[in-house]
Amino acid sequence: MTRPDDYLMAWEDSADRVPVLWLHGFPFNATLWDEQIDGLTDVARSIAPDLRGFGLSAPTDDRGDLARYADDCARLLDHVGLTGPVVVAGLSMGGYLAYELARRHPQRVAGLVLAATRATPESAEGKAGRDAAAAEVRAHGVEAVADAMLPKLLAPDSYENRPDLVDFVAEMMLAATPEGVLGALAAMRDRPDSRPDLPGLDVPCLVIHGEDDQLIPVSEAEDTVAALPDADLVVLPGAGHLPNLEQPEAFNAAVREFLAEVFYGDEDEDEEQDDNGVD
Ligand code: MLT
């Protein structure tokens, strides 16, 4: 309460929520995070960009480069007035980008949520796969990549029994432009090896992985956690490569607990709030 002039004003200020930059995977867009933005609105101030060529972002060229995405994101944070560190949450390609952001703009990173991602660079076979996918996009458009990926994105059970989810994911993919997809394929193909950076990433990290991820095995997440100085691993049953969509409640619960830890420096949000008299 304050007493500006002649009345007692009550107000709410959401500035005490933890800022979270949500980085989508390939070939999605910011709507990937709808369940998190809604479900965590009481604890997180969410900033969820559409990367170049995805979702509603303006048309772009097809030059793909994680460094360029990372600089775009840093500029976006400036633009919304977040000049200090934020929690950076990335899924899959968004995780590759989170590592790049931490390399290029370490002062922006208060903590990391690394979902369905890996720190390893592209294998020779993977690089050839990216080039083949790019040729498909040039010849047949974005649909070609979307059709090939869709069955592998979700856990087999989600794919067979959750048509709404399948439609949502397909729609997200088809909203991508060919330039955006080509750029992202190049960015993923040429991504650096982030493993040497892991021991120096001295911020709290939460690694979340779907137990049934068909694109990135759980062992990659385990390796990442083992190399990070301050990381917890949550493996979600009943989820594939999109655990935030397939198991949103469990995903959000893990992030909620993590945010409490980063923000209040305690694993028990309620206890810490009581201790500090913060509500
Ligand atoms: C993603 O979900 O961002 C992609 O599957 C990542 C990849 O293909 O490496």
Side-chain angles (χ1 to χ4, degrees):
M1 292 284 205
T2 186
R3 201 182 281 276
D5 276 327
D6 56 352
Y7 77 108
L8 204 56
M9 178 188 279
W11 80 96
E12 290 188 25
D13 181 348
S14 57
D16 60 340
R17 291 176 299 171
V18 184
V20 182
L21 177 69
W22 300 98
L23 302 174
H24 66 77
F26 170 87
F28 311 125
N29 57 56
T31 64
L32 175 76
W33 300 112
D34 282 355
E35 297 269 10
Q36 282 63 54
I37 294 169
D38 286 355
L40 296 167
T41 189
D42 58 321
V43 287
R45 173 182 172 185
S46 290
I47 298 96
D50 288 332
L51 298 176
R52 285 173 184 264
F54 293 98
L56 299 175
S57 282
T60 184
D61 55 58
D62 63 2
R63 189 163 60 80
D65 184 352
L66 286 179
R68 190 154 77 140
Y69 294 151
D71 293 351
D72 288 344
C73 291
R75 264 197 308 275
L76 172 63
L77 292 175
D78 287 341
H79 179 73
V80 299
L82 288 169
T83 52
V86 305
V87 171
V88 180
L91 181 133
S92 201
M93 178 180 77
Y96 311 157
L97 175 54
Y99 288 130
E100 185 70 12
L101 196 66
R103 274 188 290 273
R104 293 179 71 80
H105 304 282
Q107 73 285 3
R108 312 309 292 254
V109 182
L112 289 167
V113 177
L114 299 161
T117 194
R118 57 187 155 200
T120 44
E122 199 69 280
S123 63
E125 190 190 351
K127 286 187 184 197
R130 302 296 188 194
D131 291 340
E136 280 287 294
V137 172
R138 287 197 185 91
H140 305 293
V142 171
E143 293 84 348
V145 167
D147 289 349
M149 280 185 83
L150 192 54
K152 293 182 234 148
L153 285 170
L154 302 171
D157 189 53
S158 313
Y159 186 64
E160 276 157 37
N161 299 313
R162 299 179 63 184
D164 289 356
L165 191 52
V166 173
D167 288 350
F168 177 78
V169 175
E171 197 178 311
M172 228 180 356
M173 293 199 282
L174 294 176
T177 64
E179 291 77 14
V181 169
L182 290 168
L185 284 168
M188 293 191 293
R189 180 195 59 203
D190 299 333
R191 70 180 185 273
D193 187 352
S194 293
R195 288 172 300 182
D197 301 323
L198 297 179
L201 271 175
D202 201 10
V203 292
C205 298
L206 172 65
V207 177
I208 310 185
H209 218 86
E211 195 174 60
D212 303 322
D213 192 324
Q214 301 173 68
L215 294 182
I216 301 179
V218 177
S219 59
E220 294 249 21
E222 289 165 349
D223 292 347
T224 298
V225 170
L228 284 165
D230 179 8
D232 288 326
L233 174 64
V234 172
V235 177
L236 293 181
H241 191 58
L242 302 178
N244 65 311
L245 291 180
E246 296 175 81
Q247 298 296 336
E249 283 175 16
F251 189 98
N252 288 358
V255 175
R256 179 179 290 278
E257 189 177 319
F258 174 71
L259 293 184
E261 186 188 333
V262 173
F263 195 57
Y264 298 109
D266 192 293
E267 287 181 16
D268 186 331
E269 182 186 7
D270 293 337
E271 198 176 282
E272 182 68 15
Q273 285 182 336
D274 287 349
D275 289 352
N276 289 337
V278 176
D279 56 28

